[in-house]
Amino acid sequence: MEKIMQGRMDRGFERYQKEYEDKALEVLRSGWYILGKEVENFETEFAEYVGTKYSVGLASGLDALWLAFKVLGIGKGDEVIVQGNTYIASVMGITINDATPVFVEPDEHYEIDADKIEEKITDKTKAILVVHLYGQAANMTKIVDICKRHDLKLVEDCAQSHGACHNGQMTGSFGDFGCFSFYPSKNMGAYGDAGAITTNDPELARLMKIYRNYGSEKRYHNMVVGANSRLDELQAGLLRVKLTHMEDITNERYELGRRYAEGISNPLVIKPTVAEGSTCVWHQYVLRVPAKDGEGQSKARDEFRQYLEDNGIMTLIHYPIPPHRSQAYEYLGLPEGSLPITEKYANEVVSLPIYTGMTVEEQQRVIDCINAWKG
Ligand SMILES: *Cc1c(COP(=O)(O)O)cnc(C)c1O
């Protein structure tokens, strides 16, 4: 029996292979590889897709986060509010700038709990970083309101949420900056590292273009200490191709999410739910297998994963160690138990196979296998 991978990228490539190959050859033969017409066109088209005035292509999602806080002038002595259960890159975007992350627990949809944000605001708080985790838009109505009332900057981490909406508005268009990753396994993946920001502010877009290119607007006139974080022409060209198919790619994800939701009926696992007003583009479809009281890491979760693997079905954990418990952030001094919900989720979550080109038969095999699990 063929193995079902947790994520795979070959099917997504093969579906539009001819278009990608034609574009790659076009760029290779153009004789122009950095900051040319592909990047410029991509920026226009991507901003239009997200519904913002501007987009700036960058080298990665982490760079987008890092440079967003840098351009907003957030650094040493400043606090940024972020959810505890995120990929560590979200937190690194804050701490590379010497700012301090202040963690908020997630709600039952795995998104930042908007009702627990205000109690964390101090006179040092400068911004909120919202991560639309697993592809679900967070409660932006509440969060935008909090930012307005407390005069805070708003940055969105959209690395997992391309196309996801809150009340019909796309993630990446609510804040000062939307930060996107096009890492190959993301819903809108490139064929190498790539990222971008979106914004409605012309000055922020201009500054971002300066920072990505060694701090210069005019060649050899360096205004600030910037970075080399340019999206390259080849990736921009390939992303332009993918963008024309994003509606289909996203609709397929909705369908995969719907089939899991309808098909999985084993009471031993907890299925993800989508908050009213939000959509989820199912970057990951994340179940929870509850731990026993006081157990810490769920033994049942580990047995569940082993059982699926024995049946040729691969899963992953997003993420086994929350950022505040990682070695990198030992210096924050947050012991075990300081974010109980975040830690509970880390101990219980398991991500099912989901990818562009997943067949009905493959998905049915996963569903049947889960439903047959006796615990
Ligand atoms: C992937 C990811 C990033 C980082 O993106 P890179 O392009 O790999 O640097 C940041 N935040 C989240 C939530 C991610 O999933």
Side-chain angles (χ1 to χ4, degrees):
M1 205 164 20
E2 205 198 337
K3 253 194 193 162
I4 298 177
M5 306 308 290
Q6 198 275 332
R8 56 188 293 177
M9 291 166 275
D10 51 343
R11 300 237 181 110
F13 171 70
E14 284 156 14
R15 184 177 295 170
Y16 312 113
Q17 183 167 356
K18 178 83 170 62
E19 288 174 67
Y20 289 129
E21 290 179 354
D22 286 351
K23 179 55 87 174
L25 278 178
E26 182 192 326
V27 175
L28 288 172
R29 288 168 178 167
S30 74
W32 194 273
Y33 308 111
I34 295 286
L35 296 185
K37 74 171 177 41
E38 294 296 338
V39 169
E40 220 171 273
N41 286 327
F42 172 72
E43 289 173 342
T44 304
E45 291 157 7
F46 190 63
E48 194 178 321
Y49 172 74
V50 175
T52 55
K53 291 203 182 96
Y54 310 97
S55 168
V56 178
L58 299 166
S60 73
L62 175 61
D63 281 9
L65 291 159
W66 162 43
L67 293 172
F69 290 112
K70 192 159 188 71
V71 166
L72 290 171
I74 290 166
K76 207 170 173 60
D78 298 334
E79 293 177 356
V80 177
I81 287 172
V82 62
Q83 71 206 60
N85 64 328
T86 183
Y87 182 51
I88 201 156
S90 314
V91 183
M92 288 188 177
I94 298 167
T95 59
I96 294 171
N97 290 296
D98 289 327
T100 304
V102 174
F103 297 105
V104 169
E105 294 270 49
D107 62 16
E108 73 268 32
H109 311 290
Y110 307 116
E111 307 309 314
I112 189 168
D113 191 332
D115 295 328
K116 292 180 180 164
I117 291 176
E118 282 187 284
E119 65 200 54
K120 294 295 176 83
I121 295 175
T122 71
D123 52 8
K124 291 183 184 158
T125 310
K126 290 287 157 24
I128 299 175
L129 172 60
V130 176
V131 186
H132 305 291
L133 198 73
Y134 305 147
Q136 178 166 181
N139 189 334
M140 297 313 288
T141 310
K142 281 189 183 170
I143 295 165
V144 166
D145 176 61
I146 292 169
C147 287
K148 279 200 184 123
R149 281 191 288 107
H150 295 271
D151 192 24
L152 302 176
K153 301 291 184 196
L154 175 57
V155 178
E156 298 177 75
D157 182 338
C158 306
Q160 304 188 0
S161 71
H162 316 77
C165 293
H166 182 71
N167 290 336
Q169 185 180 338
M170 207 177 273
T171 56
S173 67
F174 289 90
D176 296 281
F177 279 120
C179 299
F180 289 85
S181 166
F182 307 113
Y183 182 77
S185 66
K186 308 293 190 191
N187 287 21
M188 184 173 162
Y191 292 91
D193 274 309
I197 61 87
T198 49
T199 183
N200 283 311
D201 185 320
E203 186 57 15
L204 293 182
R206 189 181 79 95
L207 285 171
M208 188 58 76
K209 285 186 175 174
I210 290 170
Y211 271 95
R212 79 169 165 192
N213 197 21
Y214 296 114
S216 67
E217 198 164 34
K218 196 169 146 202
R219 191 176 269 194
Y220 305 131
H221 292 252
N222 301 79
M223 302 146 67
V224 289
V225 180
N228 171 357
S229 184
R230 300 168 299 223
L231 175 63
D232 67 71
E233 285 284 285
L234 189 58
Q235 297 307 331
L238 297 172
L239 283 167
R240 289 182 69 201
V241 172
K242 185 156 272 184
L243 190 53
T244 64
H245 300 294
M246 271 313 282
E247 203 180 321
D248 286 342
I249 289 168
T250 304
N251 283 338
E252 179 184 19
R253 293 255 171 190
Y254 284 137
E255 187 61 17
L256 289 167
R258 192 188 61 74
R259 282 208 297 264
Y260 270 144
E262 285 178 5
I264 296 171
S265 59
N266 191 329
L268 297 172
V269 302
I270 300 169
K271 289 184 281 186
T273 52
V274 182
E276 206 178 312
S278 288
T279 65
C280 182
V281 294
W282 302 114
H283 174 61
Q284 298 297 348
Y285 192 92
V286 177
L287 299 179
R288 258 173 45 233
V289 187
K292 295 200 178 73
D293 280 345
E295 183 182 47
Q297 189 168 314
S298 167
K299 275 209 196 67
R301 190 255 313 260
D302 298 341
E303 285 160 14
F304 178 68
R305 292 189 70 208
Q306 187 60 53
Y307 159 82
L308 291 177
E309 189 177 333
D310 293 344
N311 285 279
I313 296 165
M314 307 310 288
T315 60
L316 285 172
I317 297 174
H318 298 99
Y319 299 90
I321 304 170
H324 74 284
R325 296 297 302 142
S326 71
Q327 198 185 339
Y329 290 118
E330 245 169 34
Y331 73 88
L332 293 172
L334 294 168
E336 195 178 323
S338 44
L339 293 169
I341 301 172
T342 295
E343 291 164 26
K344 177 181 165 66
Y345 287 173
N347 284 330
E348 298 183 347
V349 291
V350 48
S351 305
L352 298 185
I354 194 161
Y355 44 85
T356 298
M358 186 176 200
T359 65
V360 175
E361 293 70 32
E362 285 170 336
Q363 203 180 10
Q364 198 56 50
R365 235 181 86 194
V366 178
I367 291 168
D368 292 342
C369 201
I370 290 171
N371 289 342
W373 188 54
K374 303 275 190 304

